[in-house]
Amino acid sequence: DGLTGLYNRRSLDIAMAREGARIKRNGKPASIVMVDADGVKFVNDRFGHEAGDAFLRRIAHILRESCRVTDVVSRYGGDEFVVLMPETAIAGAQRFITLISRKIASDPGFQLGSDTKLTVSLGAACSTETGSIEDTLRLADERMYEDKRIRKASRSNQHQT
């Protein structure tokens, strides 16, 4: 990917096909973590596209530095990322989510101005839950959107009190 330096969607598709074949061959699990950068449009509108791009590059850097050599980190779409984690059960993927969440929460680079703290929404799934790598990606995506809904509701409740 030109902006983030991560693998692109096509590279992810190839890696997922290989991992799917490996799962069928040896039965070992693989997990997928979906990451969505919350509020990129807001950042672009309020602070400019350069700030939005810097936000995406910072997320990419944190993901890359937090992964193992065997993990595949890619930009999935405009503001979404996927981490494919071979031979990783759901507990390992959930530990990874906790690590990423803590790193982002403590990183001053995610504070824009005095009133804007940038966040990410995360979801994880494991092939042992779904049976296929494609279904694992779909489940991780669903869980990421659930995390996004919870975050949005939490922010709404904070503004009402």
Side-chain angles (χ1 to χ4, degrees):
D1 176 66
L3 177 66
T4 63
L6 299 177
Y7 288 112
N8 61 23
R9 175 79 179 263
R10 180 167 158 51
S11 298
L12 174 66
D13 290 343
I14 293 167
M16 284 184 49
R18 285 185 187 140
E19 192 58 29
R22 187 180 339 223
I23 290 167
K24 287 178 185 170
R25 214 173 35 251
N26 68 20
K28 292 183 180 177
S31 287
I32 292 179
V33 174
M34 290 284 300
V35 182
D36 184 79
D38 298 327
V40 172
K41 182 180 177 352
F42 169 79
V43 172
N44 288 341
D45 292 348
R46 184 162 179 202
F47 299 99
H49 287 273
E50 193 172 303
D53 288 350
F55 177 33
L56 295 174
R57 281 191 300 270
R58 187 70 190 135
I59 293 168
H61 174 76
I62 287 173
L63 292 173
R64 192 173 32 247
E65 77 175 11
S66 303
C67 286
R68 305 168 301 177
V69 173
T70 56
D71 297 336
V72 176
V73 186
S74 64
R75 188 169 177 199
Y76 190 66
D79 60 359
E80 292 181 332
F81 303 86
V82 171
V83 180
L84 173 61
M85 307 174 84
E87 298 188 18
T88 303
I90 191 65
Q94 290 167 334
R95 281 191 301 273
F96 179 77
I97 282 178
T98 300
L99 173 69
I100 296 303
S101 296
R102 285 182 182 154
K103 283 185 174 188
I104 288 174
S106 66
D107 189 321
F110 289 90
Q111 184 72 41
L112 289 180
S114 60
D115 63 340
T116 305
K117 178 71 173 168
L118 302 174
T119 61
V120 296
S121 296
L122 302 132
C126 183
S127 60
T128 57
E129 298 175 280
T130 64
S132 77
I133 200 70
E134 296 81 13
D135 288 342
T136 302
L137 179 65
R138 278 190 278 283
L139 183 56
D141 192 47
E142 289 172 18
R143 289 176 175 168
M144 183 266 303
Y145 276 107
E146 180 61 24
D147 185 44
K148 184 178 276 301
R149 282 189 289 279
I150 291 167
R151 287 175 185 281
K152 190 178 262 189
S154 175
R155 283 192 301 270
S156 291
N157 290 339
Q158 288 174 353
H159 293 304
Q160 293 175 0
T161 56

